[in-house]
Each structure stands twice: as C-alpha cells, then as structure tokens.
Amino acid sequence: MTLPNNPKDFVYNSIHKVTGKPVDSIQPNDLLTSLVTDSIQLFELILELENAFAIEPDYDELVKIQTVQQAVEFVEKIYVTQPTQ
Amino acid sequence: MYILKSSTINNLDKPQQHTAGQGLAKLACATLAQTKPSEVQLFYTTTGQPHAKVKDRTYSISIAHTKNLVAALAATYSKRIGLDVEYPRSFSNKILAAFLNQPEIKILRELFPKNKKLRETLAWSCKEAYLKAAGLGLRQHPLSLNIQIKNKTKSKITGKILDTKKGREAFIQAKFTSKQIIAISYYDTTK
C-alpha cells in the first residue's frame, strides 16, 4: 500500500482496507474494537499499523490504542521519530 | 466446566451477539452453581475479562460470538477459562507468519494436510482462547504462545499452550467440523 502524506489518512485508509468501512463513515472517537468484526480483523489492523514503519513499533504500545484518534496520534508520533517504508 | 452453544440465532449485530452471549453465560453459570440465571451477576475486570458472581461465590466465565453462533463457558474460579468460536477462513501468509512460528506451521500441515483453512483457523482459535483465559486479549502477542497438540481425532484436538512471556502452561481443547470450530483453553490458578 502506498502511504499517504499524513498519519490521519494512513490510519483511516488502513481501517478501510481491513474492515471495508467507508473512510468518511469513520469517526475519531470510534473504538477500534467496534469497527472490526472479530479479533482476527483487529489483529490485521494492528499489523497494518505495525508494518508501515521501517522499525517495528513496540507491540505493547500499539495494543494500548483504543480509538481511531489515538491511532492517529500514535502514527503521528512515529512519523516524527522514524522514517517510513 | 459447562459450555452452552446457540446457533439458532440469525442476523444479530455485534452488540446483540454480545448480549446473547451474556445470557448464555448466566445460564451456564446458573447450571454449574445449581441456581437460577436471575441469581447470577456478571462483572468485568479492568482488562475486560468477564466473571460471574452467585451470592458470595465467584465463577470464571468466557463468552464467544461470531456471526450466527454464540457460546459461553462457566467454571469454578480456581480455573481460568477462555472460549473461542470461529468459522474456518483463509489467512494471508503475512498474517499467518505474524501469529504462528515455523515449527507450529509445520506440525499443523502434518496433522491437517488437506484443509488449510481449518488448520490455520484452529491454531488462531486455540491461541485466542488462551489469551481470553489469561485476560489478555491481543494485549499479548500471539507469537509469544506455542501450541503443542498431543492428541488428534477426526473432530477434536487436545494439547497445551506454552505462554513464553508468563512462563505458564495451559490446556487446550478444540472441537471442529469443516464449518465450525469451538476452542477452549484453561489453567488452574492453584497449581
């Protein structure tokens, strides 16, 4: 997947890729667990966020993310500190 | 332990599936405790793991649901239990490598040479059942768990899961058909 230029687009597109939900239906306060159908999809979403970066982010930090907005903030932090693939 | 399964529900959304699961959990716990479901109170830990209380006695419970299938399990509190239900599905190589190590993939291929969807979903289900028993969910990486299958029949496997992060061993048991998998994991907190 080609990374878009900003973390918000990346997160929203990742959610769309895994769940099929239209990007414009996703809200910042949505819980990630409410957007996926099951734990397998949640794991796929975690992998999408994890695999985008040159250095794997800490899994323990990734799984603390609960909402879409938290995912965006997490990716923003990583974008600042390391290059992406 | 007491397990209840319902596949007579159709077209429930996720919140409805969860509510149905809670109802089954109360029924399973009530049967175990020899009381009425109305006497069973459900509560959740801070990590989201469900438990049940009947008067002053606490019970372990686990709830699992997927489309058109809901199941619940209850046990005495000294056992930590986890339950998962799945329909066999395909996994990409990327996802497979993210939750199964090479020795596990090899053993599963040997045990289930002809049914890729079944063997891969079975492995996921067993790991998911353990993570629920441990109250961890996906907060712990599935690759930290090693599946050891000790016995296999046409419709059932039994074995162990080794949690390399917690230094713990748990039992796993799964019943399967080509269309459905129900996996249970449990360990005794007194041992």
Side-chain angles (χ1 to χ4, degrees), chain B residues 27-48:
Chain B
L27 195 50
C29 188
T31 308
L32 184 62
Q34 297 182 325
T35 187
K36 295 180 278 191
S38 57
E39 299 287 314
V40 178
Q41 301 292 319
L42 301 186
F43 66 96
Y44 291 79
T45 65
T46 50
T47 56

Side-chain angles (χ1 to χ4, degrees), chain B:
Chain B
M1 282 192 278
Y2 200 87
I3 183 168
L4 277 177
K5 182 184 83 165
S6 175
S7 49
T8 56
I9 51 163
N10 287 306
N11 301 320
L12 295 186
D13 62 23
K14 249 176 90 174
Q16 289 169 331
Q17 289 171 20
H18 190 67
T19 303
Q22 289 179 318
L24 275 187
K26 284 191 173 187
L27 195 50
C29 188
T31 308
L32 184 62
Q34 297 182 325
T35 187
K36 295 180 278 191
S38 57
E39 299 287 314
V40 178
Q41 301 292 319
L42 301 186
F43 66 96
Y44 291 79
T45 65
T46 50
T47 56
Q49 188 180 34
H51 293 282
K53 206 152 187 165
V54 178
K55 292 180 187 160
D56 57 351
R57 209 158 177 192
T58 305
Y59 292 85
S60 293
I61 59 168
S62 187
I63 300 167
H65 52 83
T66 187
K67 192 180 166 192
N68 299 336
L69 181 60
V70 175
L73 182 62
T76 54
Y77 196 56
S78 62
K79 278 191 167 47
R80 290 292 183 271
I81 54 174
L83 175 67
D84 189 53
V85 293
E86 302 284 352
Y87 297 111
R89 52 159 285 171
S90 304
F91 290 82
S92 67
N93 287 335
K94 181 180 97 171
I95 294 173
L96 207 59
F99 80 88
L100 286 178
N101 58 45
Q102 283 304 311
E104 287 175 317
I105 292 173
K106 182 172 176 286
I107 289 164
L108 286 162
R109 266 196 204 128
E110 286 168 3
L111 290 173
F112 299 90
K114 292 181 184 170
N115 198 329
K116 186 174 187 290
K117 280 187 189 177
L118 176 63
R119 67 174 181 252
E120 290 168 2
T121 313
L122 196 55
W124 172 269
S125 200
C126 288
K127 290 195 174 187
E128 175 73 1
Y130 168 75
L131 289 171
K132 288 170 84 167
L136 294 166
L138 286 173
R139 277 179 293 274
Q140 181 165 319
H141 203 298
L143 273 179
S144 66
L145 310 175
N146 292 325
I147 295 175
Q148 292 184 346
I149 297 174
K150 300 291 184 192
N151 192 34
K152 176 189 172 284
T153 66
K154 274 187 187 172
S155 60
K156 187 170 145 183
I157 57 157
T158 54
K160 290 183 183 178
I161 273 202
L162 304 179
D163 181 344
T164 60
K165 204 166 176 181
K166 297 270 186 296
R168 177 193 292 143
E169 205 172 81
F171 290 101
I172 49 166
Q173 187 177 306
K175 286 194 174 174
F176 56 87
T177 65
S178 59
K179 295 197 167 82
Q180 193 181 102
I181 294 165
I182 298 179
I184 298 171
S185 182
Y186 57 93
Y187 60 92
D188 202 317
T189 58
T190 60
K191 290 184 182 162

